[in-house]
Amino acid sequence: MSGLLAFLSDYTIQNVALGAAILGVISGVLGCFAVLRQQSLLGDTLSHAALPGICLGFIFAGTRELSAILAGALLTGILAALFMLALSRRTRLKTDAALGISLSVFFAIGIVLLTYIQGTGNAAQGGLDTFLFGQAAAILRSDIYVMGTITLIGLGLVLAFWKEFKLVTFDPGFAGSLGMPVTVVETALTLLIALAVVVGLQMVGVVLMAAMVIAPAAAARQWVRSLEAMVILSALMGIIAGVSGALVSALATGLATGPLVVLAASALVLVSIFLAPERGLLWSGLRRWRAERHLRGRQVLATMYELAAAHDNPAYPAEQSMLDAYHGLGTGKVLHRLQGRGLVRRTTHMPQEGIHWELTEDGRHEARRSLAALGKDES
Amino acid sequence: MLMSPSSRRRRQGYAAAARPAAARLHEPRLAAHVEDLTVSYHDKPVLFDIDLNVPPGVMCAIVGPNGAGKSTLIKAILGLVKPTSGHITLHGLPYRQVRARVGYVPQRSTVDWDFPTTVHDVVTMGLYGQIGWFKRPGRREREKASEALKMVGMQDFARRQISQLSGGQQQRVFLARALVQEADVYFLDEPMAGVDATTERAIVKILGALRDAGKTVIVVHHDLQTVRSYFDWLVLLNVRVIAQGPVDDIYTADNLRATYGGQIALLEHGDFTRPAPAPGPGPAPGPGFDAQKEDAGPPQAAEAR
Amino acid sequence: MLAAFFDSIPAMIIATGALVGIAASLVGTFLVLRGSSLLSDAISHSIVLGIVVVWMLTGAQSGPVQLVGAALTGLLTVFLTELLAATGRVKNDAAIGLVFPVLFSIGVLLLNVYARDVHIDQHTVLLGEIGFVWLDTVSLGGYEVPQSLLSMGAMAALNLVFVTLLFKELKLATFDRALAAALGFMPGLLFYALLALTSATAVAAFDAVGAILFIAFVIVPPSAAYLITDRLWLMLLFASLIAVLSSFAGYGAAVLLDVSIGGMMATMTGLFLVLAFLFGPRYGLIAQGLRRRRAALAQAV
């Protein structure tokens, strides 16, 4: 217990937890817009493209000065986004290729710059490597201030332009018809995602930052219906993933922070996809199993109804083996379930042997209702 | 074929509803025969209990509202979507065995027209099935493709990159690609959507020529106005088959209302009084269909109801 | 002559880079056309897990076992991505971005824990060591041939055979999946075979250029070629050509500036793409601009 207290009051640990929480909030909030606008992989491109900026910032400042480094990362991230847009709008290359080109070429330039810095033998260059996979323990209190300021700016912008962001995310066409400058808003959202990526670089690293943009938002999406709730929950998920991953990394020395944070966030996604009420796979699997049983019942009921109609006999006795042959499967179970619902009943149909079934009044009603519902929007 | 009295009684007793399983699987006289087909997406049926009988030598339209499952029906017949249940035969055989006799024109929008290839090359693709794995198209195939392009009036575009074509030209190229297949049954998914009037006329003319040559042409069609002038066989579809048969019998106000109003024609006009000539859906095509099986009259004369 | 070639370190490095580029471009062309180029991003990240796991199980750091292991990891990535997208709970792009980071993370953590002593460390993962390919050689017909060159040569040959033999099938499956399926060409299987080859190529290239730079070789040369030609076979040819030129130019520039050779080669593919983007005969920005001006002039007259 006292060990835990000592651990929590440790200065480095406090820094790490605080940094991780900040990272979780901003990537969680802005990730929602990326995921909903189907630009999840833009985060991947932006984060890989931050590498040359990190190096440029370092070269410019001559030391591992976080604000310079992050400014550089933001700059090259934006350049990469613009390059991507130019390729996808002005050529016949598809978006995925444009993203991939931007990602890999900017990253390659980053590698070139990184080796250039290493070649200059600058003593401070050792710290740059941590930007690849993230190193929580390397975070300083001054870094927290920089990250916090960027996050506050980002969140402030989201609050100020909430209405615009929301509408452009859901329905850019409609937003345009209202006279909203859709391109400007979209560009602003892209810039903000670049901002979120930049905040996470030191913690998670360029290679895995994309997952931090996607995972909390994808997890939050499963539980809620409104954008407001999604953003808040996503921020919360981001904090949980960030703090737990970063703390484990700080405890177990030698484990890179980025992978741990990403695994924590991905675990949240997995749990959400399976267990979230309504959307959870577990529940929808159950629903589908029931629906499939129901569909089979509907098919058998429809067949019996049509047989009855074709014979002008509402109580036409249908032979079970014939229903089996017609549906190509054993209908015994289905018929018994229908019987349980009071829709069919067994009859004896002398002189022919074999099990026969006829529709009850309820069964005829249900069959008619079910047939009429087809082709309309069923819910 | 001799029939024992008991099996005859059986036949008569059940003929309207279902024939013995062995008989159901082989309908060599029908160009396309679908029985009990259900396709569902998650828990929602897209096609429900479809029974379809298209005799050879007709030009058949599949018509219905959006979301009626028209494209899905074609895709299910060609094995491109997996049905929940159902039997499908083309000329009495499962699709896998008659691939070479079937031509398919997907919706134009399903392919990437920026793909780096030429008009002539796209048409040659229709022959890939006949060429088989690993082998390359040769001079014979190239000549066939050129002939098909001539038939659709696109011979001057053979060397063009496909992205330079208009919508109507793209559709003609797709049609030419189906023509080189020299199939017996053609399936076309919305070939007249978004094409100019000239192209539409050209397409109808070519399809009519195919029909006159004894081929079967099955078309997903979206324009009710032109159904009667273009087609001689009609399938009204809205998740279920609402009605099917010769276009003049099927194209009635009641049937159309039933298809587009989401209403089911079945037994609406008084339960359990058989709607005499008016067709309604049923698990099997009914006595008229059996008549067709028994007498070997021309297929068009026999009604599927 | 041949001996001089195998003795020359620059020749070895450039040849290896060129083979990486050719092998990657051959499969990349079809990925780019299919709109699946980011799967190469996913695959190249997650093979790190495959490499680590195979190394832990067998001790093999390269060779056929590694290639097979990587091919399986690559297919697992694609399979999991498709599975996740098929649940309908996340969109396809998010599914890609969720799956590969997990596999990559597990791979990196395993490296952190178990593999500190071997040469596969985080830096190799990112950078590759193309400058040192000549250190690890095997004897072949009396010549000392770099291991990397040999495995890349084998992969390039394998990809070439695959693409040549199945050119018609790949073309149809990429252009019109529905018709390919209707004709019985199994487009799904073809696509998985293509991705398996992509994964194996990624492993073979791993020592030389690392996991991430590999993406550049898969996507960029075919994209550049796509901007200058309208024929599929020319696209394959031009992409390979661009890859070879990038290898030469990248090596020269890297030696001149004393920076990462692999990084410079990948950067050069980007340079060629920009050139194609600007000066492409029909689709280049300048050609587009000229056409627009001519059209405007024609209208004015």
Side-chain angles (χ1 to χ4, degrees):
Chain A
M1 192 65 211
S2 66
L4 187 69
L5 269 178
F7 171 69
L8 286 177
S9 56
D10 182 281
Y11 186 70
T12 315
I13 298 297
Q14 281 178 355
N15 270 352
V16 166
L18 209 57
I22 291 173
L23 152 75
V25 169
I26 188 156
S27 57
V29 169
L30 291 165
C32 289
F33 296 101
V35 166
L36 288 176
R37 295 177 62 221
Q38 298 191 34
Q39 288 198 326
S40 301
L41 291 169
L42 182 65
D44 200 26
T45 296
L46 290 176
S47 60
H48 280 79
L51 187 62
I54 291 170
C55 298
L56 284 177
F58 179 85
I59 293 171
F60 184 75
T63 172
R64 196 185 157 284
E65 163 68 43
L66 192 66
S67 46
I69 282 173
L70 295 193
L74 190 62
L75 182 75
T76 51
I78 291 167
L79 280 179
L82 291 177
F83 185 47
M84 187 277 283
L85 282 178
L87 285 179
S88 65
R89 288 193 185 153
R90 302 302 297 274
T91 75
R92 52 182 179 162
L93 288 169
K94 297 180 195 64
T95 313
D96 67 299
L99 281 169
I101 292 166
S102 214
L103 178 156
S104 56
V105 172
F106 273 79
F107 188 81
I109 297 173
I111 292 291
V112 167
L113 289 173
L114 195 66
T115 46
Y116 169 76
I117 293 170
Q118 280 163 354
T120 60
N122 187 321
Q125 48 109 354
L128 278 190
D129 288 5
T130 60
F131 284 102
L132 291 175
F133 296 106
Q135 197 64 56
I139 283 193
L140 308 171
R141 184 49 62 96
S142 59
D143 296 347
I144 300 283
Y145 294 139
V146 175
M147 288 167 69
T149 313
I150 300 177
T151 301
L152 282 180
I153 294 172
L155 292 182
L157 286 171
V158 170
L159 270 181
F161 296 103
W162 176 259
K163 210 168 63 264
E164 286 77 11
F165 287 171
K166 184 176 173 178
L167 196 57
V168 168
T169 299
F170 277 126
D171 192 347
F174 180 65
S177 75
L178 292 183
M180 220 174 250
V182 176
T183 320
V184 176
V185 178
E186 282 180 336
T187 313
L189 273 172
T190 305
L191 289 185
L192 281 173
I193 292 165
L195 217 56
V197 165
V198 157
V199 169
L201 287 179
Q202 198 176 14
M203 208 81 184
V204 180
V206 298
V207 181
L208 286 168
M209 193 49 211
M212 266 319 275
V213 174
I214 303 170
R221 173 70 190 91
Q222 312 305 323
W223 301 83
V224 298
R225 286 162 180 274
S226 73
L227 182 62
E228 287 80 2
M230 181 174 166
V231 164
I232 292 168
L233 188 61
S234 176
L236 209 65
M237 298 251 186
I239 293 174
I240 295 171
V243 172
S244 55
L247 286 184
V248 171
S249 150
L251 277 174
T253 46
L255 292 186
T257 315
L260 288 169
V261 173
V262 166
L263 287 183
S266 305
L268 287 176
V269 174
L270 206 63
V271 169
S272 304
I273 283 182
F274 272 97
L275 293 182
E278 286 192 43
R279 279 174 72 97
L281 284 184
L282 190 64
W283 319 126
S284 73
L286 268 175
R287 270 202 306 276
R288 189 181 310 175
W289 179 69
R290 275 197 218 112
E292 258 166 35
R293 269 174 40 157
H294 183 67
L295 187 66
R296 246 168 268 139
R298 260 170 97 173
Q299 285 175 313
V300 171
L301 215 56
T303 308
M304 291 178 66
Y305 183 69
E306 282 153 356
L307 279 170
H311 288 83
D312 253 346
N313 173 10
Y316 175 79
E319 188 179 349
Q320 186 177 321
S321 60
M322 196 269 300
L323 288 171
D324 285 355
Y326 183 70
H327 286 280
L329 54 99
T331 53
K333 263 189 174 167
V334 184
L335 284 162
H336 280 102
R337 270 204 305 275
L338 291 173
Q339 188 181 29
R341 291 167 60 198
L343 301 177
V344 300
R345 63 172 158 259
R346 275 183 72 162
T347 61
T348 45
H349 187 68
M350 304 297 282
Q352 291 167 37
E353 56 257 79
I355 310 168
H356 284 72
W357 298 84
E358 65 177 33
L359 289 168
T360 62
E361 188 57 43
D362 283 356
R364 274 191 295 280
H365 187 74
E366 174 62 24
R368 216 172 302 139
R369 195 196 59 75
S370 142
L371 288 175
L374 291 169
K376 286 184 203 157
D377 221 347
E378 304 177 57
S379 49
Chain B
M1 186 174 112
L2 280 173
M3 236 180 232
S4 72
S6 74
S7 75
R8 177 166 290 278
R9 191 171 61 234
R10 221 167 228 281
R11 276 194 66 79
Q12 282 162 350
Y14 297 142
R19 278 143 284 116
R24 293 190 298 128
L25 293 175
H26 290 282
E27 295 292 354
R29 288 167 190 244
L30 291 172
H33 174 64
V34 175
E35 212 164 333
D36 191 25
L37 175 74
T38 295
V39 177
S40 57
Y41 179 72
H42 293 311
D43 37 7
K44 195 183 148 110
V46 182
L47 293 172
F48 185 85
D49 208 6
I50 297 289
D51 295 291
L52 189 71
N53 299 288
V54 181
V58 299
M59 195 158 146
C60 166
I62 300 176
V63 172
N66 285 335
K70 301 182 295 272
S71 292
T72 310
L73 177 56
I74 287 191
K75 286 186 184 144
I77 293 175
L78 298 179
L80 300 177
V81 299
K82 207 169 156 277
T84 316
S85 64
H87 316 277
I88 297 159
T89 56
L90 301 174
H91 284 289
L93 294 166
Y95 173 66
R96 294 171 65 90
Q97 292 177 32
V98 283
R99 252 187 203 131
R101 294 171 65 190
V102 177
Y104 173 43
V105 180
Q107 277 182 32
R108 202 155 41 85
S109 57
T110 55
V111 306
D112 171 16
W113 290 94
D114 276 334
F115 195 86
T117 192
T118 60
V119 166
H120 187 271
D121 201 31
V122 170
V123 177
T124 315
M125 287 179 190
L127 293 162
Y128 282 9
Q130 296 167 27
I131 299 169
W133 286 87
F134 304 116
K135 279 173 280 187
R136 293 291 172 82
R139 181 214 281 254
R140 199 184 70 90
E141 281 81 16
R142 284 197 294 275
E143 280 169 2
K144 266 189 167 178
S146 300
E147 277 168 37
L149 274 175
K150 217 172 278 170
M151 284 170 73
V152 299
M154 290 284 292
Q155 64 274 28
D156 296 341
F157 292 81
R159 296 279 143 221
R160 284 280 181 95
Q161 151 71 9
I162 54 173
S163 60
Q164 299 166 34
L165 302 179
S166 71
Q169 290 167 337
Q170 290 174 352
Q171 196 63 59
R172 287 176 192 224
V173 171
F174 259 26
L175 188 61
R177 188 177 71 172
L179 288 177
V180 294
Q181 291 184 263
E182 291 176 341
D184 293 329
V185 189
Y186 286 93
F187 292 91
L188 298 92
D189 202 342
E190 300 258 14
M192 270 88 114
V195 304
D196 53 287
T198 322
T199 301
E200 182 160 334
R201 274 196 301 278
I203 291 173
V204 171
K205 207 174 133 199
I206 290 164
L207 296 182
L210 286 175
R211 185 256 328 270
D212 296 341
K215 320 276 192 185
T216 312
V217 181
I218 298 173
V219 179
V220 169
H221 194 55
H222 65 290
D223 182 11
L224 271 179
Q225 310 289 325
T226 50
V227 165
R228 269 199 292 192
S229 48
Y230 291 171
F231 298 95
D232 49 26
W233 199 268
L234 178 60
V235 175
L236 290 173
L237 188 77
N238 189 0
V239 184
R240 313 195 69 205
V241 171
I242 307 299
Q244 56 179 319
V247 72
D248 294 330
D249 299 347
I250 301 302
Y251 195 91
T252 64
D254 276 355
N255 280 339
L256 293 178
R257 204 176 321 113
T259 310
Y260 284 84
Q263 296 292 315
I264 297 293
L266 173 81
L267 313 180
E268 280 268 301
H269 16 237
D271 260 22
F272 303 113
T273 54
R274 189 180 307 205
F289 175 77
D290 265 60
Q292 179 203 330
K293 274 189 60 190
E294 242 82 45
D295 72 59
Q300 282 100 324
E303 297 183 14
R305 274 283 338 155
Chain C
M1 167 72 200
L2 216 52
F5 175 71
F6 286 120
D7 280 343
S8 154
I9 290 171
M12 284 305 92
I13 295 172
I14 292 171
T16 307
L19 285 174
V20 169
I22 291 171
S25 298
L26 288 174
V27 287
T29 296
F30 293 96
L31 293 179
V32 165
L33 287 176
R34 194 180 180 272
S36 309
S37 42
L38 285 172
L39 283 179
S40 69
D41 179 23
I43 287 175
S44 63
H45 280 87
S46 50
I47 54 155
V48 172
L49 174 63
I51 288 172
V52 177
V53 169
V54 171
W55 170 76
M56 284 168 65
L57 291 178
T58 67
Q61 287 183 17
S62 59
V65 193
Q66 276 291 9
L67 291 186
V68 172
L72 291 179
T73 327
L75 292 186
L76 177 75
T77 314
V78 177
F79 174 74
L80 289 178
T81 303
E82 288 185 348
L83 196 70
L84 187 60
T87 65
R89 297 307 184 273
V90 296
K91 294 277 188 297
N92 194 40
D93 62 324
I96 295 180
L98 283 168
V99 169
F100 83 77
V102 171
L103 299 179
F104 183 73
S105 295
I106 297 172
V108 170
L109 288 178
L110 286 176
L111 270 183
N112 284 166
V113 176
Y114 295 107
R116 272 177 223 171
D117 311 324
V118 290
H119 85 284
I120 29 175
D121 57 14
Q122 295 182 0
H123 286 265
T124 320
V125 169
L126 294 174
L127 306 171
E129 300 287 359
I130 199 169
F132 300 118
V133 289
W134 50 275
L135 285 178
D136 186 12
T137 60
V138 287
S139 202
L140 192 81
Y143 301 110
E144 287 297 308
V145 183
Q147 172 89 42
S148 278
L149 187 71
L150 212 57
S151 53
M152 271 329 297
M155 263 338 286
L158 190 59
N159 290 355
L160 187 65
V161 168
F162 178 76
V163 168
T164 314
L165 217 53
L166 291 165
F167 183 73
K168 151 175 128 284
E169 289 77 4
L170 286 167
K171 180 163 69 176
L172 180 59
T174 312
F175 173 63
D176 190 342
R177 196 190 161 99
L179 184 70
L183 292 178
F185 284 117
M186 298 183 276
L189 193 71
L190 272 181
F191 183 56
Y192 264 83
L194 189 72
L195 290 171
L197 285 177
T198 309
S199 312
T201 311
V203 179
F206 188 79
D207 282 341
V209 297
I212 303 179
L213 293 178
F214 176 70
I215 306 166
F217 291 95
V218 177
I219 304 179
V220 185
S223 297
Y226 188 36
L227 297 181
I228 51 180
T229 178
D230 280 335
R231 299 288 181 277
L232 181 57
W233 67 274
L234 276 179
M235 188 173 155
L236 287 163
L237 188 71
F238 286 158
S240 303
L241 215 60
I242 288 169
V244 173
L245 288 177
S246 301
S247 181
F248 273 98
Y251 179 80
V255 168
L256 204 65
L257 301 170
D258 189 22
V259 291
S260 154
I261 298 170
M264 210 55 187
M265 288 177 174
T267 305
M268 284 300 159
T269 63
L271 184 70
F272 282 108
L273 180 108
V274 171
L275 290 179
F277 179 36
L278 293 177
F279 303 109
R282 182 177 290 160
Y283 305 105
L285 270 191
I286 291 173
Q288 281 181 34
L290 281 178
R291 240 196 334 270
R292 255 199 305 277
R293 239 183 76 184
R294 224 173 295 138
L297 277 176
Q299 212 146 46
V301 174

